[in-house]
Amino acid sequence: MTVRTAELLMALMMGLFSIYLMYKSAELPIGWIEEEGPGGGLWPFWLSTIMLISCGGILFNWVRKKGAIATSTKVYIESHVLGDVLAVAIALIITVALFSFIGIYGALPLFLIFYLRFMGKHSWKLTGTLAILIPVVIFYFFEITLKIILPKGITEPLFLPLYKIFF
């Protein structure tokens, strides 16, 4: 597959996804609600509209063969890179599957260790630091600041003391 063909397919898929998001967002109010503010569907609807317009611009340039990408005949992805992409995709699927068992704060460090140390060949010091720091930052951002509870699976009892402190 060439870069030109990949651009066409991506613009078409993202355009269809934009239309779907616009449709689903329109189930909620997409305008301004008097004395309340923006409706629940306002931001998703209008951001999806902008994404659809952008896809239209990409298709317009593709048809006119205008721009380096729209005329490129280079191979989109080399076969040796495909293995790495597949490994990361499988790791992400496993990570999401682990959310309900060991929670996001157990699965995310495992993914980061796999990705940083084994895929990226980074040092254990950097890998360990990020595998601990990123989940902690995510916890404080979502659970404490935004009050959005993320799945914890069997690790939930470990978080009860933190909830007593912050809630």
Side-chain angles (χ1 to χ4, degrees):
M1 177 185 326
T2 66
V3 172
R4 177 174 162 75
T5 305
E7 181 184 45
L8 171 67
L9 293 175
M10 195 62 177
L12 291 172
M13 286 190 305
M14 291 302 292
L16 289 173
F17 187 57
S18 299
I19 292 168
Y20 168 76
L21 289 175
M22 290 167 66
Y23 173 77
K24 290 302 284 180
S25 299
E27 292 176 356
L28 298 170
I30 60 170
W32 193 264
I33 301 171
E34 193 69 31
E35 296 184 24
E36 283 188 38
L42 184 132
W43 289 113
F45 179 84
W46 292 108
L47 289 174
S48 299
T49 302
I50 292 168
M51 189 165 70
L52 181 60
I53 291 167
S54 298
C55 290
I58 291 168
L59 292 172
F60 182 71
N61 284 338
W62 189 89
V63 169
R64 293 179 36 220
K65 293 185 180 179
K66 183 168 178 141
I69 294 174
T71 59
S72 177
T73 57
K74 291 182 183 176
V75 174
Y76 176 64
I77 190 166
E78 301 288 337
S79 58
H80 68 277
V81 176
L82 204 54
D84 289 344
V85 171
L86 186 61
V88 172
I90 290 170
L92 283 170
I93 291 168
I94 291 170
T95 300
V96 172
L98 288 173
F99 284 178
S100 61
F101 299 110
I102 60 173
I104 193 167
Y105 305 112
L108 185 57
L110 293 176
F111 174 78
L112 289 168
I113 290 167
F114 166 76
Y115 188 78
L116 292 169
R117 179 66 186 159
F118 300 108
M119 295 294 296
K121 310 284 190 246
H122 292 284
S123 70
W124 276 111
K125 183 178 179 181
L126 176 70
T127 301
T129 301
L130 292 176
I132 293 169
L133 189 62
I134 290 173
V136 168
V137 169
I138 288 174
F139 173 80
Y140 282 103
F141 181 72
F142 281 99
E143 308 254 350
I144 307 304
T145 306
L146 298 177
K147 309 266 190 264
I148 297 173
I149 306 300
L150 298 177
K152 291 174 202 59
I154 62 172
T155 65
E156 184 143 16
L158 300 173
F159 292 87
L160 296 178
L162 291 172
Y163 287 145
K164 287 180 183 177
I165 293 171
F166 293 106
F167 295 117

